[in-house]
Amino acid sequence: METVVEVEGNDEAKLKECGIRNSTSSLSSPKQISDPVVYKLVRLEGDGRIVPATDDELMEVESLLIDDKCQMHIVADPGQTVGCISNEGSSSGIAQLESLEGLLQSRNKEAGPDKLNARLEVPDNWWHHAVIFCNVESQLLKLVKSSFLYSAFEEISLLLMLRLACGSPYCSSAYLIVDSQCCDQHDKLLHIDAKLQCEIPLQETVPSPAPSLSESHFNQSGSFGECSHSSDKLVAGGSTLSVVTTKPDFSKLKGEICLDNLSIKELHETFKATFGRETTVKDKQWLKRRISMGLTNSCDVSVTSFIIKDNKLVKKGNEEISNCMDGSYAEDPPIGNQKDLPTSLVSQLDYHQVVPEKIRLENPNLDDNSGSDDHQTEQRAAKRVRKPTKRYIEELSEVESKESNGRLMNLAKNPEHGLISLKSHVRLVRNVPLDGRTVVTRLDSLGGYGIQVPCVSRVRRSRPRKNFMALLKFNPSGMGMEATLVKKSLGDHSFPPDDGKESRVLKASSTPEHVHHQKFNPSAMGMEATLVKKALGDHSFPPDDGKESRVLKASSTPEHVHHKFIGVPEKDKQFSVMSAIGLGHNTELKFINSSRDSDDNVVTVPTPKGGLRRKHHRAWTLSEVMKLVEGVSRYGAGRWSEIKRLAFASYSYRTSVDLKDKWRNLLKASLAQTPQDNGMNSRKSTGAMPIPAPILLKVRELAEKQAQVLPNLSSTKIAGSTRKNVHEKQTGFL
DNA sequence: GTTAGGG
DNA sequence: CCCTAAC
């Protein structure tokens, strides 16, 4: 079966159809290909035309590639000119692609400058993703277009990048073939007839310096011929595109897996087993989501006896209770349904983001889990419910906005879902209320470009972060001056008074997220802000009205890197990209410790390894631990401030939170250890002081005691009175 | 301001 | 240890 899909046209449905059809059928494939996802870099014009991405955009992708430490190949027909992405620049690539090891077949070698039809043969048993740069009325948007279910764009390994051109030197586009969740079982090939209109040299393809691509597989030659040659060698040398990926190994997923209980490391393993490749993502939530999605969508799973339920991968046989789950994830639907309700495959978390309202309305049963969730509340009564953090929401909404754009594309292209023209959709994009969440947009003026950013996700409502320093974790070599300046400013201005409340001023986190939503404190950070502003090209820095500059996002997540710095002038973009890369590689700036170092707890520690984590860590002594245990036994776990005041009065450096944390750790330790030996806590040689078993035992006892007492609601009164007593005692002391 | 929990 | 939502 051959399905021709036009990128330009109403292809979404087709793609989706194909994907689904083939995940449920078992068509044999002409070729075995392990890299099932195709990324295409195009720009969507306001009138709906799709034009190839510019070099600038490509560059971002390249930086992404670097960041992801992925290998990159350029493959081209020897006879054709090949755009070479090299250290020198990604520029002038006019590439016409002939073949790619049977993966791609360019059918229109002779295509005129107006049109290029590149026929791609790719396995259709895959998830389709497309990255689209969308330029709508000078509003540069980025879309992640997911034509098949949810697209978790972040974690993909880019394997391949091809550049196509249509004869015009101003025209090029990129096809990225990325390895992703490969369902290699039936590699039926799908033909994509990608019609690219290359007519308008919208932007001059100015040769632009590209970030170093030392890892990639091409030479730095300047001439096309050489490039072509080298890349040709690549192909001829038989280095097919398999490369990075290993196959998913579901044999590692034996029995029942509850993702919620897994550590990051375990999640990583599961991830690997699921997707056949490693990930470096540390975000548990993401990993869980990803894995469960991967599993849910994976034909490997669907053909095996596993199903996904409630964050668990369980054997079908074991699974009888079907409806009374806590409902984090939708059940794997009957196969037959898939075509009609593709989204039912999606985890519920994402379901609301993906499924158009209409579909949901028409299929209310899909909403089972979110509707009457009495059992949910039951389960949650035990623990305090934490709503997702703002950061999470923000990031989610960011992804969502991308998704929504993709969805809208779908809508526009799919007569079933919407009849409005693409154009109007694109224009409305973020003003469409999605699932009750109104996504508003505002137009930021960045670098002279209009960039539409979702307000809702960018506003930081609480106090501005103080860890702006993270912003300066730039490549030291490149950013020496800024670093120095900041240093200076730290020393001279000796930091904002800061209500005197916050003693730990130097909050520089190693986690990208922190940088991510950075906002400058206008009063204190004037200098730095100026600097960055300057670095950004002095282009109308957004007023410090509580909205932040989105340009300053920095993250090691490829996606983030990718989505950054659009609209930043070339020179600065270069810088920005470099910065991002620097971040991604844990380039760290050696901070000098704040001058307050001595007086209190403000110490920043450039950690030997991963990065820059300032901790004023004070190891817990045994006596402290004992005191804590005693305090807990006396006042009860949870009364941390009491314990702090009464038992730790002299330990000024131990906050109640510290106590709480320590107790938590003790608890963990005690639970982890007791089943086994009773010797000295046989933990790994963490360097941490081993906690004597007796203490752990006591911890355990206390914990059990607490556990027995607390669930009883009637005890709250007792607890209340005790607290009162404590308070009285306390006042007596004072 | 404290506490619970996630990271 | 840090952060932040919930209380």
Side-chain angles (χ1 to χ4, degrees):
Chain A
M1 181 196 74
E2 276 197 2
T3 310
V4 175
V5 179
E6 290 186 3
V7 170
E8 197 183 353
N10 180 6
D11 56 296
E12 287 303 303
K14 289 186 202 168
L15 282 171
K16 196 177 286 184
E17 223 175 290
C18 294
I20 292 163
R21 185 155 54 237
N22 284 283
S23 65
T24 58
S25 65
S26 56
L27 299 163
S28 61
S29 68
K31 301 217 174 187
Q32 289 294 322
I33 295 160
S34 58
D35 313 315
V37 179
V38 165
Y39 268 70
K40 193 155 89 79
L41 220 55
V42 295
R43 175 190 301 284
L44 178 63
E45 286 300 305
D47 56 2
R49 279 180 308 120
I50 291 181
V51 297
T54 66
D55 278 348
D56 290 351
E57 289 151 349
L58 295 184
M59 227 174 65
E60 291 188 276
V61 178
E62 291 161 31
S63 75
L64 203 165
L65 287 172
I66 297 170
D67 205 50
D68 217 9
K69 289 185 184 127
C70 283
Q71 305 201 320
M72 189 157 128
H73 308 256
I74 284 195
V75 187
D77 182 69
Q80 308 298 323
T81 325
V82 176
C84 194
I85 303 174
S86 71
N87 280 348
E88 262 61 60
S90 63
S91 59
S92 35
I94 319 301
Q96 188 144 359
L97 165 75
E98 159 96 355
S99 71
L100 166 54
E101 287 284 282
L103 236 192
L104 309 174
Q105 290 179 358
S106 166
R107 293 293 167 83
N108 287 20
K109 268 186 273 184
E110 312 301 332
D114 288 339
K115 232 163 210 184
L116 170 75
N117 279 353
R119 172 152 299 207
L120 311 181
E121 285 188 7
V122 291
D124 59 350
N125 196 6
W126 47 326
W127 297 0
H128 307 263
H129 306 253
V131 185
I132 295 188
F133 291 89
C134 179
N135 189 350
V136 184
E137 293 168 359
S138 87
Q139 296 169 7
L140 205 54
L141 294 180
K142 280 196 170 173
L143 307 176
V144 170
K145 185 167 113 183
S146 160
S147 57
F148 182 37
L149 303 184
Y150 179 86
S151 135
F153 172 54
E154 306 124 274
E155 180 61 19
I156 44 155
S157 311
L158 301 174
L159 270 189
L160 215 153
M161 182 166 181
L162 300 171
R163 308 187 66 217
L164 300 176
C166 49
S168 156
Y170 299 114
C171 231
S172 65
S173 72
Y175 285 83
L176 304 179
I177 296 197
V178 297
D179 94 270
S180 182
Q181 305 68 31
C182 46
C183 306
D184 49 301
Q185 312 233 315
H186 6 261
D187 280 343
K188 167 90 182 47
L189 292 192
L190 169 74
H191 290 252
I192 290 187
D193 195 352
K195 261 188 233 159
L196 295 178
Q197 298 184 359
C198 312
E199 60 217 325
I200 307 178
L202 273 184
Q203 326 78 359
E204 277 202 5
T205 313
V206 181
S208 55
S212 159
L213 288 176
S214 49
E215 289 301 322
S216 44
H217 279 209
F218 12 85
N219 297 342
Q220 305 185 13
S221 73
S223 86
F224 291 158
E226 279 182 59
C227 278
S228 154
H229 189 60
S230 63
S231 44
D232 183 29
K233 253 196 293 188
L234 255 180
V235 178
S239 93
T240 35
L241 307 170
S242 47
V243 205
V244 182
T245 321
T246 56
K247 303 287 184 197
D249 183 2
F250 284 93
S251 67
K252 286 177 186 160
L253 301 180
K254 290 264 160 47
E256 179 171 318
I257 297 174
C258 181
L259 298 177
D260 284 326
N261 294 339
L262 297 183
S263 67
I264 296 246
K265 192 185 170 192
E266 290 165 322
L267 282 172
H268 277 171
E269 284 168 6
T270 310
F271 186 97
K272 188 176 181 185
T274 308
F275 297 123
R277 64 202 162 79
E278 315 257 14
T279 180
T280 55
V281 174
K282 301 265 190 325
D283 182 11
K284 254 190 179 177
Q285 213 58 40
W286 184 90
L287 285 168
K288 284 192 282 191
R289 205 176 63 212
R290 197 83 175 82
I291 290 170
S292 76
M293 279 190 308
L295 293 174
T296 310
N297 287 295
S298 166
C299 52
D300 288 50
V301 166
S302 56
V303 300
T304 59
S305 55
F306 289 105
I307 64 174
I308 307 295
K309 184 170 282 294
D310 186 25
N311 249 2
K312 293 179 183 176
L313 177 69
V314 293
K315 291 244 185 197
K316 272 172 185 165
N318 305 340
E319 189 57 46
E320 293 300 331
I321 18 145
S322 49
N323 289 327
C324 56
M325 303 309 288
D326 150 291
S328 292
Y329 289 86
E331 189 182 2
D332 215 343
I335 297 279
N337 265 352
Q338 289 186 6
K339 184 173 177 181
D340 298 325
L341 301 174
T343 40
S344 56
L345 288 170
V346 188
S347 71
Q348 195 197 356
L349 261 184
D350 304 307
Y351 168 65
H352 288 272
Q353 301 171 34
V354 176
V355 185
E357 196 70 57
K358 192 182 170 198
I359 292 186
R360 291 223 313 277
L361 290 176
E362 287 170 2
N363 304 275
N365 49 328
L366 285 181
D367 268 321
D368 269 351
N369 291 328
S370 59
S372 60
D373 39 2
D374 292 356
H375 29 290
Q376 284 189 33
T377 37
E378 272 179 33
Q379 291 204 353
R380 283 177 193 162
K383 273 190 179 181
R384 185 138 106 190
V385 186
R386 266 182 83 80
K387 92 180 186 195
T389 65
K390 276 178 188 155
R391 201 164 73 202
Y392 180 79
I393 292 174
E394 286 170 5
E395 282 168 7
L396 193 70
S397 89
E398 189 174 275
V399 172
E400 188 176 80
S401 62
K402 284 179 268 169
E403 288 292 328
S404 78
N405 286 326
R407 223 177 317 151
L408 286 165
M409 296 287 302
N410 288 349
L411 287 181
K413 290 173 179 177
N414 194 340
E416 283 175 20
H417 299 152
L419 295 166
I420 319 175
S421 75
L422 176 63
K423 186 173 180 179
S424 57
H425 261 305
V426 170
R427 198 195 308 261
L428 292 178
V429 168
R430 315 240 172 143
N431 297 324
V432 179
L434 299 164
D435 311 328
R437 236 180 291 193
T438 306
V439 185
V440 190
T441 62
R442 100 192 122 98
L443 198 59
D444 259 9
S445 168
L446 289 174
Y449 293 70
I451 296 186
Q452 208 171 24
V453 295
C455 303
V456 53
S457 55
R458 297 275 69 90
V459 181
R460 181 176 174 77
R461 276 145 293 193
S462 53
R463 233 176 15 192
R465 291 183 196 274
K466 301 183 178 64
N467 51 335
F468 75 100
M469 291 296 283
L471 281 171
L472 297 154
K473 289 197 316 179
F474 293 146
N475 190 332
S477 54
M479 297 301 296
M481 188 169 132
E482 283 71 12
T484 314
L485 279 171
V486 170
K487 195 163 140 188
K488 203 167 178 184
S489 97
L490 281 179
D492 294 345
H493 304 145
S494 74
F495 252 78
D498 201 63
D499 353 318
K501 200 158 61 180
E502 185 83 35
S503 59
R504 300 163 189 179
V505 179
L506 275 186
K507 304 211 163 190
S509 165
S510 63
T511 45
E513 298 96 338
H514 293 160
V515 191
H516 194 108
H517 297 130
Q518 200 56 262
K519 181 196 146 196
F520 292 100
N521 181 334
S523 55
M525 303 308 155
M527 190 167 176
E528 289 74 20
T530 312
L531 265 173
V532 178
K533 179 175 171 180
K534 207 163 191 171
L536 288 172
D538 222 352
H539 277 288
S540 60
F541 202 61
D544 276 328
D545 58 349
K547 318 221 155 106
E548 69 190 295
S549 161
R550 197 156 172 241
V551 179
L552 292 177
K553 282 169 37 177
S555 160
S556 60
T557 314
E559 169 210 19
H560 292 148
V561 175
H562 188 177
H563 287 187
K564 230 174 319 175
F565 309 128
I566 315 184
V568 179
E570 185 57 48
K571 188 180 66 183
D572 303 318
K573 183 188 290 182
Q574 186 62 24
F575 147 73
S576 304
V577 169
M578 293 309 288
S579 310
I581 293 167
L583 281 177
H585 290 163
N586 278 328
T587 313
E588 65 182 47
L589 185 67
K590 308 278 188 243
F591 291 132
I592 27 83
N593 294 338
S594 150
S595 51
R596 300 222 200 141
D597 185 334
S598 47
D599 86 297
D600 229 20
N601 304 327
V602 185
V603 182
T604 64
V605 182
T607 60
K609 203 174 154 188
L612 177 75
R613 200 162 179 115
R614 82 247 88 60
K615 276 184 189 173
H616 61 298
H617 182 71
R618 195 169 301 208
W620 277 76
T621 66
L622 197 58
S623 68
E624 281 178 310
V625 171
M626 289 164 68
K627 233 175 200 140
L628 175 60
V629 172
E630 191 200 310
V632 169
S633 75
R634 194 177 300 181
Y635 310 115
R639 305 262 215 290
W640 305 118
S641 60
E642 316 274 16
I643 300 175
K644 157 64 177 155
R645 277 199 301 263
L646 299 177
F648 282 79
S650 49
Y651 299 80
S652 62
Y653 49 89
R654 297 284 181 220
T655 72
S656 57
V657 175
D658 291 331
L659 304 187
K660 184 257 303 175
D661 284 341
K662 184 57 182 176
W663 179 254
R664 184 169 51 174
N665 288 339
L666 286 174
L667 223 56
K668 220 189 313 178
S670 73
L671 288 166
Q673 184 236 354
T674 32
Q676 300 168 1
D677 64 332
N678 279 338
M680 287 300 251
N681 172 21
S682 62
R683 275 239 174 259
K684 302 161 196 167
S685 51
T686 343
M689 170 208 50
I691 295 166
I695 292 185
L696 289 182
L697 223 73
K698 185 156 187 187
V699 169
R700 199 174 153 83
E701 285 173 13
L702 285 172
E704 280 169 2
K705 221 184 285 179
Q706 300 268 147
Q708 286 175 0
V709 178
L710 275 179
N712 190 357
L713 285 180
S714 62
S715 67
T716 18
K717 279 181 184 174
I718 303 171
S721 64
T722 352
R723 173 179 258 166
K724 208 174 179 182
N725 288 340
V726 174
H727 254 296
E728 284 163 9
K729 239 194 221 166
Q730 165 68 19
T731 47
F733 274 114
L734 292 177

